[in-house]
Amino acid sequence: MNASSERSASLWGRHSSIEAPSLEANATAEVAVIGAGIAGLSIAYELARSAKEVVVLDRGRIGGGMTARTTGHLASELDDYYHVLIEKRGVDAAREVCRAQIEAVDRVETIVREEGIECDFRRLDGYLFLAPGTEPTLLEKEYEAARRVGLEVAWADRAPIPGVRTGRCLRFASQGRFHPLKYLDGLVEALRRRGARLYGDTIVNDVAEEGDGGVVVRMAGGAEMRVRACAVATNSPFNEVEVHYKQAPYRTYAIAGRVPRGSVEDALFWDTLDPYHYVRLQPADDASDWLISGGEDHKTGEADDMEVRFALLESWTRAHFPSFGAVEHRWSGQVLEPVDHVALIGRSTTGRNIYMATGDSGQGLTNGVAAGRLVAALIGGRELPYAEAHDPQRAVRSAVKEFVVENLDAARKLAEKVTPAEVGSADEIKPGEGAILRQGLKKLAAYRDPSGAIRSVSAECTHAGCIVSWNPFEKCWDCPCHGSHFAPDGTAINAPAVEPLGGQNS
Ligand SMILES: Cc1cc2nc3c(=O)[nH]c(=O)nc-3n(C[C@H](O)[C@H](O)[C@H](O)COP(=O)(O)OP(=O)(O)OC[C@H]3O[C@@H](n4cnc5c(N)ncnc54)[C@H](O)[C@@H]3O)c2cc1C
Ligand code: FES
């Protein structure tokens, strides 16, 4: 199982249409890639192109992780802003990050063309406009920074939104958009044509480097795979400790409704609120497009007012895009925000032949594609120019303040072990809902199923012991510390956790 078993489904569906068997027996390969989202499949694709023998393993359906929940902007403009990145990491690192983002959009375009993938890929402009109440000089700062790092940017008198006065805004040329799951389907077909093997419903619970430099990948079912190198692309790595001090998980929300074709320009739109709104179109039928609108993010586990957030998102969308029809799709997902705003891609701390890709942030698609090129280059003994900027082992000195704040939050969640429980008794929990209950010194994650039966498990996350929170929209348990999600019965469905919430006593 993976995040495809959370309650909502995106406009794209729950997962790719590709079927893959589970792996039950011991096996060998040159490289194992763990995780079949945009990052894992991009890594596998680049390796297969350089004639490596690749195996992809996923705990659930192929493409059933956060990639199925994306909104599919392919942006080289940075959602945390280049002027902020320059302050944190300096202009040289910012140039490398910009180059990686530009090359990622180019790479998608090339792969789509060379592999004949029909995924509605299109190049288009992106518009960043000032939201009321946000810093008035933000656009000027970003304009200067974008030019310094080598990004194509220009001023526009207004964003092309009929009837809405956005004021002067920034226009970024050559951004992109696609249908993420059609793209993954195309990648998988291209992988299979090159002999790669893919397995779903195969939970990996350990990777370890051996004395000879080989890597053993251990599956929950007991099978083992011996490989020369392994890439962990599980969105949040299950085999790392240190990296979890460099990023934090956030839930984000999206809605989709139809607009008459031509009533909104086919472009990407962002405002400058924090959290910001993000908008794009997707062809629906001959006469209409889907307008997809996202935002209202919060730190994972720190909100249960999802209906309020969806209402705010809808009202902002209607105010800015008056032709927006009924909301036909609503979904949420999670991104991992690195404290210095740069994805963590490269060699793992756990072994020279173990690699990783995480810290996706709101640019997880372009970061996933960049991870494909970076990790494949490293495994092939080459370095790409932007490897250093993304090195997961980098110090985050310039982000010390945020580092401390993110980890105080995590520490606070651990401290919740000694604070009162959320409800006094299971009687207060309605059918289809969950809550935290105290049982002596322990905390339980209790869920009442639609038939009225209570199932309770330990509320301590099996990754590192934080207390989980009930997510009333997705009907799952979210861990606020490093991004794990669990099904109502405690089954782990999102990394880094692998084991179910323990001590089942239903
Ligand atoms: C609402 C929303 C909107 C977004 N919009 C954009 C956008 O417009 N542009 C953009 O660039 N990014 C966007 N993002 C971010 C981006 O979509 C994600 O960061 C990206 O898709 C993550 O890809 P991934 O491959 O790292 O992870 P995933 O797609 O989650 O893939 C990881 C895979 O690893 C598997 N796995 C986990 N643990 C194990 C294990 N132990 N064993 C085996 N397999 C395992 C999972 O089953 C999963 O399939 C958005 C995200 C959300 C939620
Ligand atoms: S995800 Fe790390 S403690 Fe829960």
Side-chain angles (χ1 to χ4, degrees):
M1 280 168 78
N2 59 14
S4 60
S5 60
E6 293 183 17
R7 187 182 66 164
S8 77
S10 74
L11 174 66
W12 325 113
R14 290 185 182 276
H15 44 67
S16 113
S17 61
I18 300 282
E19 298 287 339
S22 63
L23 180 63
E24 315 283 349
N26 291 347
T28 57
E30 206 173 347
V31 186
V33 177
I34 306 166
I38 185 86
L41 292 176
S42 298
I43 294 169
Y45 176 79
E46 301 294 352
L47 288 165
R49 279 200 65 132
S50 52
K52 296 268 188 265
E53 183 203 7
V54 187
V55 169
V56 180
L57 306 166
D58 197 290
R59 77 193 304 163
R61 291 286 303 247
I62 303 296
M66 291 304 150
T67 306
R69 293 169 175 268
T70 187
T71 52
H73 300 56
L74 296 168
S76 48
E77 163 58 359
L78 197 69
D79 69 341
D80 291 304
Y81 305 129
Y82 284 110
H83 69 273
V84 177
L85 181 57
I86 290 172
E87 275 170 29
K88 284 182 186 274
R89 295 279 308 271
V91 73
D92 290 341
R95 277 198 188 109
E96 287 187 21
V97 171
C98 180
R99 183 168 171 188
Q101 298 294 315
I102 292 172
E103 288 188 10
V105 186
D106 292 347
R107 188 68 186 141
V108 173
E109 186 171 37
T110 304
I111 292 171
V112 164
R113 189 181 61 245
E114 289 183 357
E115 303 294 347
I117 301 175
E118 290 185 11
C119 61
D120 309 315
F121 174 83
R122 195 173 167 219
R123 289 279 190 173
L124 30 63
D125 290 337
Y127 294 90
L128 176 67
F129 56 92
L130 206 60
T134 53
E135 192 197 326
T137 60
L138 190 150
L139 293 182
E140 276 76 10
K141 286 185 188 165
E142 189 59 5
Y143 176 81
E144 290 305 326
R147 288 172 62 94
R148 278 183 85 191
V149 299
L151 189 64
E152 201 180 332
V153 60
W155 285 103
D157 291 340
R158 56 195 287 279
I161 308 177
V164 177
R165 291 189 185 169
T166 60
R168 205 162 78 114
C169 68
L170 297 184
R171 181 169 63 79
F172 299 93
S174 287
Q175 308 297 292
R177 57 107 159 123
F178 66 1
H179 185 305
L181 293 185
K182 288 185 186 172
Y183 181 71
L184 291 195
D185 282 355
L187 274 190
V188 172
E189 281 170 18
L191 273 166
R192 285 186 167 156
R193 278 198 298 275
R194 289 174 174 82
R197 289 172 282 153
L198 286 96
Y199 297 96
D201 299 319
T202 302
I203 302 170
V204 175
N205 55 16
D206 189 35
V207 290
E209 197 162 296
E210 302 198 305
D212 62 357
V215 179
V216 58
V217 178
R218 297 193 175 89
M219 267 75 66
E224 290 186 352
M225 174 171 280
R226 280 170 203 282
V227 290
R228 289 183 30 201
C230 172
V232 178
T234 53
N235 197 235
S236 185
F238 59 86
N239 60 325
E240 289 277 341
V241 176
E242 195 191 319
V243 75
H244 292 297
Y245 296 110
K246 299 178 179 174
Q247 59 184 11
Y250 285 74
R251 275 270 178 195
T252 180
Y253 297 85
I255 55 177
R258 287 167 208 262
V259 292
R261 170 105 2 110
S263 65
V264 178
E265 180 166 319
D266 193 1
L268 308 183
F269 300 95
W270 308 277
D271 72 3
T272 53
L273 267 185
D274 183 14
Y276 63 96
H277 295 99
Y278 44 102
V279 174
R280 59 159 282 198
L281 298 184
Q282 167 69 18
D285 52 40
D286 289 348
S288 61
D289 291 310
W290 293 107
L291 186 142
I292 308 165
S293 178
E296 299 298 333
D297 312 11
H298 60 82
K299 253 181 132 178
T300 295
E302 297 199 347
D304 59 4
D305 57 348
M306 286 71 176
E307 290 305 326
V308 175
R309 285 169 195 272
F310 278 119
L312 288 170
L313 183 55
E314 183 177 345
S315 109
W316 179 91
T317 306
R318 290 196 187 291
H320 289 80
F321 300 92
S323 60
F324 185 66
V327 174
E328 294 182 52
H329 299 268
R330 304 194 309 171
W331 69 96
S332 78
Q334 182 173 272
V335 295
L336 294 160
E337 289 292 345
V339 293
D340 66 359
H341 305 316
V342 181
L344 300 130
I345 305 167
R347 203 163 253 124
S348 157
T349 54
T350 59
R352 273 202 68 72
N353 293 315
I354 302 176
Y355 300 83
M356 62 186 286
T358 189
D360 51 7
S361 78
Q363 316 267 142
L365 296 175
T366 38
N367 282 329
V369 176
R373 299 192 65 212
L374 266 173
V375 173
L378 289 170
I379 290 176
R382 293 174 292 118
E383 286 257 334
L384 287 184
Y386 34 82
E388 197 180 328
H390 294 84
D391 184 355
Q393 301 189 36
R394 67 184 180 262
V396 287
R397 277 190 300 276
S398 59
V400 167
K401 192 167 150 229
E402 290 85 338
F403 174 86
V404 170
V405 171
E406 299 292 6
N407 283 287
L408 277 177
D409 274 355
R412 188 163 57 75
K413 286 289 165 185
L414 277 165
E416 279 184 6
K417 284 184 193 172
V418 291
T419 61
E422 286 178 16
V423 294
S425 116
D427 296 344
E428 295 174 47
I429 304 173
K430 296 191 184 112
E433 295 298 335
I436 302 298
L437 283 172
R438 181 177 290 283
Q439 189 183 64
L441 288 176
K442 280 184 66 181
K443 284 202 167 188
L444 298 178
Y447 170 73
R448 187 179 294 283
D449 72 21
S451 76
I454 282 277
R455 300 173 69 91
S456 55
V457 291
S458 166
E460 284 187 27
C461 175
T462 50
H463 174 239
C466 293
I467 298 297
V468 297
S469 301
W470 177 245
N471 181 326
F473 176 68
E474 294 294 357
K475 305 285 182 203
C476 65
W477 302 101
D478 284 355
C479 182
C481 287
H482 318 113
S484 298
H485 304 162
F486 301 85
D489 69 356
T491 305
I493 53 175
N494 200 55
V498 176
E499 300 298 328
L501 295 175
Q504 203 147 333
N505 63 351
S506 52

